[in-house]
Amino acid sequence: MVGGTGTFGVVTVPQSREEAEDRDAGDPVAALRYEFELADGEPIYLDGNSLGRQPRAAAGRVAAALGEWRTRLVGGWDDWIDLPSTVGDRIGRLVGAAPGQVVVSDSTTVNLFKLGLAALDAGGGGIVGDGEDFPTVRYVLQGLAERTGRPLRWLPTDLDGAALLCLSAVNFRSATLADMAAVTAGAHRAGALVLWDLSHAAGCVPVDLDGSGADLAVGCTYKYLNGGPGAPAWLYVRRELQGLLRQPIWGWWGQRDPFAMADAYDPAPGTARFLAGTPNILGIAAVDAGIDPLLSVGMPALWDKTRALVALLAARVDALLVPLGARLASPADPEGRGGHLAVAHPDSWRTVRTLIDRGQVVGDFRPPDVMRLAPVAAYTRFVDVWDAVDRIASVLASAASGALGDRPAPRRRVT
Ligand SMILES: Cc1ncc(COP(=O)(O)O)c(C=O)c1O
């Protein structure tokens, strides 16, 4: 028996594998799964929050971009020049941003630096970040503090004297979900601008950048946006701030008229000033293909399914893994978490590795002891969640009985 009453929070949880199959049969977005490359008998993939699956359309879209390069050569730029903003606007539809505020550019790390320094240059005061945030966010903030001489404080702290508050809407490890509107309102009362990292939120949880009053945001495209390994990132600057902020990388793509080749830097109006150098057109073509499936059904339908999948996962973790010594390391309240769960166990690393080596389940490991499991609404089924937890439980039970040996699996470069 899983989940007692059959509900977990406000979401009904299947009580058996048959009920999970019924949920799949009635799932309004079930067909989306077939817009992604899938093979029979492959492991259950619960790592789309690290690298999203490849959309079936991606190869054709990248091939079309290669074809334009072949046939149009440099003339292709007449159209490619607009791609950072047209694809940015399409990403904007997934994160509640009206057109003209999102562009595709650089990497998330570089965008954090550009927008973080732009915010600091715009106002005196210190930096506040989250000491539990993804390393690149913490490192960029440390670097900004050293370069500008501004104090850096980690939450929890008050925001008095802060010019910049930077944090993730969904924490990469625990999936803790921030209340973006409340945090932004608090920061504004203290006179700080807020820079959100939406890497684990965009395409997964409903985000309303405009509605929440957000100032600045960045995100990657290779997780829930399915853009592929190292795909270009995106950034958002609220329209009213665009003319007031200057980013630190004065490149020609941020110039008012790049092909005028003017002597002096004169930043373009609008979001173009937050670009730096020549955009990655093949990468943007893949991102465009990656977001199509999400745009076709919209975030509300995806979020309904995500919440139900994560509720089932939480209930199964509670029923099968907690008795084997695991602990939920994500918020228990469905309202307080995003699209994945962190499950802590001393044997997490060996368990994750064993499941991958056996071709059963692909999750990932985050130090010190966390398995991250992400059932992605676009392509994960309820039966996948059901079966994955059975398989994890079986490996954890073997580890406990000594059947996996007593030596930890060696660490890999990518975990
Ligand atoms: C919150 C967050 N920010 C940034 C990144 C990565 O940044 P980049 O794409 O520059 O490597 C990740 C990667 O997982 C992340 O989780």
Side-chain angles (χ1 to χ4, degrees):
M1 172 86 165
V2 176
T5 62
T7 61
F8 208 85
V10 292
V11 181
T12 308
V13 172
Q15 301 292 299
S16 64
R17 194 174 194 283
E18 291 67 39
E19 283 188 27
E21 282 173 341
D22 290 346
R23 282 298 281 273
D24 286 321
D27 172 12
V29 300
L32 218 53
R33 172 176 169 81
Y34 301 102
E35 293 186 30
F36 292 86
E37 296 289 346
L38 297 155
D40 285 342
E42 66 176 46
I44 297 169
Y45 191 64
L46 298 182
D47 212 4
N49 63 336
S50 185
L51 180 65
R53 278 188 178 279
Q54 185 178 132
R56 284 192 200 280
R61 291 285 260 293
V62 174
L66 285 168
E68 288 191 7
W69 170 24
R70 187 171 61 244
T71 55
R72 299 178 67 187
L73 288 167
V74 73
W77 279 111
D78 286 342
D79 295 317
W80 299 331
I81 194 169
D82 293 323
L83 284 176
S85 55
T86 53
V87 177
D89 283 347
R90 280 161 51 76
I91 292 173
R93 287 166 52 196
L94 298 171
V95 291
Q101 301 177 101
V102 175
V103 277
V104 178
S105 118
D106 301 310
S107 65
T108 312
T109 304
V110 171
N111 290 335
L112 281 166
F113 175 79
K114 292 189 304 191
L115 296 190
L117 196 48
L120 291 173
D121 284 347
I127 307 168
V128 175
D130 174 3
E132 302 291 315
D133 215 330
F134 186 75
T136 217
V137 184
R138 291 185 280 111
Y139 302 157
V140 167
L141 296 184
Q142 288 165 11
L144 289 176
E146 189 167 306
R147 147 178 315 272
T148 59
R150 311 278 185 99
L152 169 60
R153 287 175 290 151
W154 301 116
L155 292 172
T157 175
D158 62 48
L159 296 176
D160 288 350
L164 171 66
L165 169 64
C166 176
L167 69 166
S168 289
V170 174
N171 181 269
F172 80 104
R173 190 187 278 108
S174 68
T176 301
L177 181 63
D179 180 339
M180 291 180 62
V183 169
T184 303
H188 286 175
R189 277 195 298 276
L193 293 176
V194 185
L195 169 53
W196 291 102
D197 188 327
L198 299 183
S199 294
H200 282 273
C204 177
V205 306
V207 173
D208 184 5
L209 279 169
D210 290 347
S212 67
D215 302 304
L216 308 163
V218 299
C220 74
T221 60
Y222 47 73
K223 301 180 187 293
Y224 296 97
L225 303 187
N226 316 304
W234 58 274
L235 64 84
Y236 163 93
V237 180
R238 177 155 57 89
R239 190 179 310 283
E240 304 87 75
L241 287 174
Q242 291 170 8
L244 304 174
L245 299 182
R246 278 202 173 195
Q247 60 120 335
I249 304 177
W250 291 14
W252 72 308
W253 277 77
Q255 172 76 352
R256 189 174 294 274
D257 178 1
F259 288 89
M261 308 281 164
D263 288 339
Y265 176 70
D266 177 17
T271 45
R273 68 171 52 193
F274 301 98
L275 301 177
T278 308
N280 172 353
I281 298 306
L282 299 179
I284 297 179
V287 171
D288 205 26
I291 58 180
D292 269 349
L294 311 186
L295 287 167
S296 73
V297 299
M299 285 312 301
L302 289 168
W303 179 233
D304 280 351
K305 181 173 175 187
T306 300
R307 283 180 4 130
L309 288 169
V310 175
L312 173 60
L313 180 59
R316 296 277 287 160
V317 165
D318 209 31
L320 272 69
L321 306 189
V322 169
L324 292 167
R327 174 178 59 83
L328 185 67
S330 292
D333 176 4
E335 301 302 317
R337 65 193 182 209
H340 69 268
L341 285 186
V343 178
H345 189 283
D347 261 320
S348 281
W349 165 242
R350 218 157 41 140
T351 301
V352 166
R353 241 0 293 167
T354 303
L355 289 159
I356 293 172
D357 292 346
R358 291 182 182 172
Q360 293 185 327
V361 178
V362 177
D364 65 20
F365 169 80
R366 289 294 173 262
D369 61 354
V370 160
M371 294 178 242
R372 280 195 320 181
L373 306 170
V376 178
Y379 43 74
T380 310
R381 298 169 301 191
F382 288 86
V383 282
D384 294 330
V385 172
W386 190 273
D387 292 344
V389 182
D390 278 344
R391 294 174 189 183
I392 296 167
S394 143
V395 172
L396 275 181
S398 315
S401 69
L404 297 183
D406 52 10
R407 275 188 306 151
R411 283 289 301 278
R412 310 260 282 232
R413 292 177 66 198
V414 178
T415 60

